[in-house]
Amino acid sequence: MYDKSAFVIKENPIILGMESSCDETACAVLSGRKILSSRIISSAAEQAKYGGVVPEIASRMHTEAVDEVCRLALADAGLKPSDIDCVAATYGAGLLGALLVGLSFSKALAYSLNVPFIAVNHIRGHISAAYLDKPDLKPPFITLLASGGHTAILYTSSFTKFEVLAATSDDAAGEAFDKCARVLGLPYPGGPSVQKLAEGGAPTVKFPSALVKNSASLRFSYSGLKTAVINYCHNAEQRGEQLNAADVAASFQCAAIDPLVKKTVELARRYNVKTVTAGGGVIANEYLRRTLSAACRRAGLALVLPEKKYCTDNAAMIASEGLNQYMAGNFSDLDINAAAAIPL
Ligand code: KG4
Ligand code: ZN
């Protein structure tokens, strides 16, 4: 019988992490914060045929991949199932059918091994990617979070507590990158395509900044920027003008990223922290990495920037957040369900 009150907390546990919230079936094994293996089986190439993620295809491909990705991660780590001390899996937010595959598999694995199960909030996973980069990282710190579903600046006060200081009031930054790519006729996923095109352009077009001005609280908005890019491209087409797509991409990239970098540094100063971290797919963007590094250097702040492969969806970050909860004794019940939307 699974009795979560009966488990003892080990010093450097072997944690198996599982992630299946969108189009990546990922499994990783950590020993404490040390990454022993991290595997991803992605359905992105299949999804690209449809220009975005088709939930039904994602669920089916997770079902086909979940067992395999777990075997591969354990084999890479040179471990067997009985070596696992804890299983952590994403339970939300994400596509319900996709989440259910990884979550059900992981709950069954924890039950069969009689080890603690930890249900992980995907966004907390993105924040915890920073601990993989710097295993001795300790709160407090400020985090810039930018993914396909969320854009926020957070104050992390302890290994298990954070506060949202600023967030988007509508679309996420990643979503805007994906829409910008689509209107420019670039392939899915949009972020890397826009980045590549922007490298050959200059920010000559004045698009509205993603920062909401004249607001009582600090807020971002990406829907206005997205619409401005769409209108700019359509107007040029209607007038029969040749569009400099590289300049549009570079201009969009600056409007989307500059305010995030600026406000992250400002908040780090205001909250008197010495360290800034970052997480989420958009943090893989080279322009963001460059400008955030330079801004932190100028402000005398230490920056913990996870490797690009740990910014986009992966299971090592889920295991890393699992470790935070494990050390706090926050084990989950096995009747926990998947949730498409959960608050930050
Ligand atoms: O964190 P993530 O992998 O999944 C979610 O949790 O949403 O983020 C995916 C988002 C997509 O919108 C994708 O276009 C964006 O991250 N992204 C990028 C880059 N790589 C991925 N955006 C800008 N530049 C990139 N290099
Ligand atoms: Zn994500």
Side-chain angles (χ1 to χ4, degrees):
M1 220 217 10
Y2 179 88
D3 176 5
K4 67 178 189 177
S5 65
F7 297 121
V8 282
I9 298 171
K10 294 189 181 175
E11 197 50 47
N12 269 310
I14 298 290
I15 301 199
L16 180 135
M18 181 69 78
E19 155 63 32
S20 71
S21 65
C22 192
D23 56 352
E24 255 102 40
T25 325
C27 185
V29 181
L30 301 192
S31 168
R33 290 287 180 205
K34 189 173 183 303
I35 304 170
L36 301 183
S37 65
S38 179
R39 281 277 188 161
I40 296 176
I41 298 179
S42 177
S43 66
E46 183 67 19
Q47 308 283 5
K49 294 181 194 163
Y50 305 92
V53 178
V54 180
E56 179 56 33
I57 294 177
S59 310
R60 182 156 36 83
M61 293 190 75
H62 284 307
T63 311
E64 287 166 9
V66 69
D67 191 49
E68 176 74 0
V69 82
C70 178
R71 272 179 218 283
L72 291 170
L74 278 170
D76 288 353
L79 297 176
K80 35 189 202 315
S82 58
D83 295 320
I84 299 168
D85 295 315
C86 170
V87 179
T90 308
Y91 79 100
L95 303 168
L96 207 54
L99 287 163
L100 275 170
V101 179
L103 180 66
S104 312
F105 181 95
S106 302
K107 289 198 291 190
L109 184 64
Y111 181 74
S112 69
L113 298 171
N114 196 29
V115 297
F117 173 71
I118 293 169
V120 171
N121 175 336
H122 181 84
I123 293 307
R124 284 182 177 258
H126 277 303
I127 300 169
S128 291
Y131 297 109
L132 299 171
D133 202 62
K134 193 175 186 315
D136 59 354
L137 171 68
K138 285 189 184 62
F141 50 79
I142 293 284
T143 303
L144 171 57
L145 169 77
S147 70
H150 292 87
T151 302
I153 302 174
L154 314 149
Y155 175 73
T156 295
S157 56
S158 78
F159 285 101
T160 54
K161 284 203 183 71
F162 67 80
E163 184 188 331
V164 180
L165 304 180
T168 175
S169 359
D170 41 55
D171 299 343
E175 215 174 327
F177 266 93
D178 294 336
K179 290 279 156 47
C180 177
R182 191 177 284 207
V183 71
L184 291 173
L186 303 173
Y188 169 87
S193 318
V194 171
Q195 175 191 305
K196 194 152 173 269
L197 183 63
E199 278 159 16
T204 53
V205 187
K206 186 105 189 73
F207 287 131
S209 154
L211 181 70
V212 178
K213 304 230 169 64
N214 308 322
S215 157
S217 58
L218 184 51
R219 287 190 300 128
F220 300 105
S221 164
Y222 283 90
S223 76
L225 172 58
K226 183 181 80 184
T227 311
V229 175
I230 293 171
N231 288 345
Y232 184 87
C233 295
H234 287 173
N235 288 345
E237 193 179 51
Q238 274 165 4
R239 288 200 293 264
E241 288 169 10
Q242 182 70 31
L243 192 74
N244 186 329
D247 283 1
V248 173
S251 307
F252 161 79
Q253 200 169 248
C254 289
I257 287 172
D258 290 351
L260 294 178
V261 169
K262 186 164 178 266
K263 291 297 158 188
T264 300
V265 170
E266 276 180 25
L267 285 170
R269 281 196 166 135
R270 195 184 311 162
Y271 279 74
N272 202 21
V273 300
K274 305 270 176 294
T275 306
V276 166
T277 77
V282 179
I283 307 300
N285 183 277
E286 289 294 351
Y287 174 74
L288 185 150
R289 297 173 81 83
R290 222 172 34 242
T291 52
L292 184 61
S293 302
C296 286
R297 208 177 313 117
R298 277 197 304 273
L301 294 161
L303 174 65
V304 181
L305 204 51
E307 274 182 64
K308 284 184 250 176
K309 64 180 174 190
Y310 299 122
C311 290
T312 47
D313 287 351
N314 68 90
M317 69 180 199
I318 301 302
S320 181
E321 172 56 17
L323 180 65
N324 290 346
Q325 302 297 338
Y326 176 92
M327 286 308 189
N330 292 336
F331 307 142
S332 303
D333 289 315
L334 289 183
D335 61 358
I336 185 155
N337 209 345
I342 38 178
L344 258 184

